[in-house]
Amino acid sequence: MRPTLYTFLCLLLFSFSQAQFSRKSLDNQWDRMLLVSKYEGINTSGFEAVYYKNNNLWWNDWFTPWSIGLQSTRIRNDKFEESEYLSADLGYITLGITGFKNLTEKLYINIDLGVNIGFENLIDFNSTPKDRFIIGLSSSQGILYIPNTNSGFVFKAGIYEEVLTSKLYTYDVGVKFGAGFVF
């Protein structure tokens, strides 16, 4: 059984290495991208800043840069009414990988997958603060405009989903609109 597993893993690695050295890696002229987004979900709203690094990796027709993001979240008031907490501050970093697939020369389908790591500072009705470590998973899908140059403005619209170990909410879904630039 082990030789079959090793053979499968070798074939998988070989197919990944073949996909990432496609000639399409020459089509993306930008090296870095910064995208700032406003999001509105059923449980939260806030802002997110994401940094993308062009690593010239391709998986079949998908361009896959790495990403790191910082997020500032405001939790909706109705979530506090259902809980034992008076207020909360929530912030986390997202480490992930992104996929871009061409629709046209400058328009892309975008899928982000990430792991959220951060802290929430909860204050209960007795004004006692409680700091908690949170972890979660996030994804977003959208349409992204990227110019064909090594610098220029970028625009994004899409939806997002996340699952967290927060005391106030465990999931969120919503819309996201962003703008940024490539450099």
Side-chain angles (χ1 to χ4, degrees):
M1 174 125 175
R2 282 192 172 197
T4 306
L5 178 61
Y6 293 135
T7 304
F8 175 74
L9 288 174
C10 287
L11 288 174
L12 184 65
L13 288 173
F14 177 73
S15 68
F16 181 72
S17 65
Q18 291 290 68
Q20 68 178 328
F21 291 111
S22 167
R23 68 162 183 82
K24 292 182 181 181
S25 63
L26 301 174
D27 295 342
N28 291 305
Q29 298 177 13
W30 57 274
D31 185 42
R32 296 174 300 266
M33 179 176 18
L34 182 63
L35 186 64
V36 177
S37 299
K38 168 75 172 137
Y39 62 91
E40 291 288 333
I42 61 172
N43 293 319
T44 65
S45 64
F47 290 93
E48 174 186 48
V50 180
Y51 172 80
Y52 298 93
K53 174 65 175 131
N54 182 348
N55 53 12
N56 282 325
L57 293 178
W58 286 81
W59 179 260
N60 293 329
D61 291 339
W62 289 84
F63 174 58
T64 59
W66 289 98
S67 64
I68 184 168
L70 296 172
Q71 193 160 343
S72 174
T73 300
R74 185 180 63 80
I75 301 171
R76 301 215 183 276
N77 289 337
D78 60 335
K79 297 314 283 179
F80 291 107
E81 294 170 4
E82 302 169 0
S83 75
E84 58 193 61
Y85 300 103
L86 183 62
S87 69
D89 290 322
L90 179 68
Y92 51 87
I93 188 169
T94 303
L95 303 171
I97 190 162
T98 300
F100 297 113
K101 183 172 182 168
N102 289 79
L103 287 175
T104 66
E105 189 175 305
K106 298 179 183 179
L107 206 58
Y108 294 82
I109 293 175
N110 170 238
I111 296 177
D112 291 325
L113 301 172
V115 174
N116 302 337
I117 302 167
F119 289 93
E120 67 180 350
N121 181 344
L122 302 167
I123 298 177
D124 63 16
F125 289 110
N126 297 325
S127 298
T128 305
K130 181 178 183 182
D131 292 328
R132 293 189 68 247
F133 176 76
I134 58 171
I135 191 164
L137 299 172
S138 65
S139 70
S140 71
Q141 305 81 35
I143 302 293
L144 193 66
Y145 169 83
I146 303 174
N148 283 347
T149 61
N150 59 1
S151 64
F153 291 103
V154 177
F155 302 98
K156 179 181 182 176
I159 59 172
Y160 75 93
E161 308 83 24
E162 68 180 8
V163 178
L164 287 174
T165 58
S166 171
K167 284 284 193 183
L168 292 172
Y169 72 99
T170 56
Y171 70 94
D172 197 25
V173 294
V175 295
K176 186 184 288 190
F177 299 97
F181 54 94
V182 292
F183 55 101

